[in-house]
Amino acid sequence: MAGKLYGIGVGPGDPELLTLKALKCIRACDALAVPGKQKEETAAYRIVLQAAPEIAKKECLELEMPMTKDKEKLANSHREAFGSIKEALDQGKQIGFLTLGDPCIYSTYIYMHKLAAEAGYETEIINGIPSFCAVSAKLNQGLVEQSQMLHILPSTYGVEEGMELSGTKVLMKPGKKLKSIKEKLSEYPDSRVSMVERCGMPKERVYHGAQEIPEQTGYYSLLIVKEQEK
């Protein structure tokens, strides 16, 4: 009998934000899977290890999944990664794929989820706390109220069109685009801008105001742009 693939959201960084359901599933799985060459260098694995040190003894599939927009390279890496997962599923193993935040939001896991479902394997998503919720809590503020709208923008694909929308904007993973994003933010002087880098992780940094935000940041960064209340 074939195994089952779980996509497990481990939250944004603080191991105390792991859900009870996620931990229960992780402990019950026969093996784990992580998007990286070495599990110890994978953020999602390190988060879980702090809450459940016993996973160090559990089998782990280390899946190299490069960060690229090249569709052909992406497709090839996804097929190769799924090949390892498929082999384990065919052995009847329950596999828990660990992913930062929530598996439903710009997650690498979803590619494995689709391939597994298309191949006829059983799948299940265990949702986690999204990064933008943790960042908003860290800033000690709400994201939206009453009729305000919330927009989630993938920064690496550009934010120009999204910035024109009314409501609160969440700019995910600005990375190398941060300098151009800061320039764009100057066009919205009435907006309140904040950024948190490595929320809930070691070396966490909080920035208030576009001027305070540096022109370069790490991968685990997120901006919140709120319209000032009138």
Side-chain angles (χ1 to χ4, degrees), residues 44-57:
Y45 184 87
R46 292 199 303 267
I47 291 167
V48 177
L49 190 63
Q50 294 174 72
E54 66 272 20
I55 69 165
K57 299 179 180 179

Side-chain angles (χ1 to χ4, degrees), residues 6-38:
Y6 294 87
I8 306 173
V10 304
D14 184 346
E16 292 187 351
L17 293 181
L18 262 167
T19 67
L20 294 174
K21 187 169 185 177
L23 276 174
K24 182 179 179 180
C25 186
I26 289 166
R27 287 169 172 149
C29 282
D30 301 304
L32 303 176
V34 296
K37 289 183 180 180
Q38 293 182 300

Side-chain angles (χ1 to χ4, degrees), residues 73-134:
K73 288 182 179 179
L74 272 177
N76 289 336
S77 69
H78 293 159
R79 281 194 296 268
E80 186 174 343
F82 180 64
S84 299
I85 291 175
K86 183 180 184 301
E87 185 177 345
L89 291 173
D90 286 340
Q91 294 171 7
K93 294 179 180 178
Q94 313 299 301
I95 311 297
F97 189 109
L98 307 181
T99 184
L100 278 174
D102 186 286
C104 302
I105 304 170
Y106 300 121
S107 171
T108 301
Y109 164 73
I110 287 298
Y111 300 109
M112 301 299 99
H113 181 90
K114 289 179 178 179
L115 289 171
E118 289 170 1
Y121 295 99
E122 189 176 0
T123 58
E124 183 176 339
I125 293 175
I126 308 295
N127 60 293
I129 293 176
S131 57
F132 51 84
C133 291

Side-chain angles (χ1 to χ4, degrees), residues 148-163:
Q148 292 175 336
M149 292 182 285
L150 177 63
H151 307 284
I152 314 300
L153 311 180
S155 299
T156 56
Y157 290 89
V159 300
E160 290 77 13
E161 186 176 344
M163 286 299 297

Side-chain angles (χ1 to χ4, degrees), residues 69 106 151-165 169-175 177-188 223 225:
K69 292 181 183 177
Y106 300 121
H151 307 284
I152 314 300
L153 311 180
S155 299
T156 56
Y157 290 89
V159 300
E160 290 77 13
E161 186 176 344
M163 286 299 297
E164 299 298 324
L165 299 170
K169 273 76 71 172
V170 170
L171 281 55
M172 298 189 69
K173 302 175 183 176
K177 296 277 188 177
L178 192 54
K179 183 178 180 180
S180 61
I181 287 173
K182 283 190 64 177
E183 293 172 356
K184 185 66 179 177
L185 289 173
S186 66
E187 300 175 17
Y188 303 89
L223 288 94
V225 181

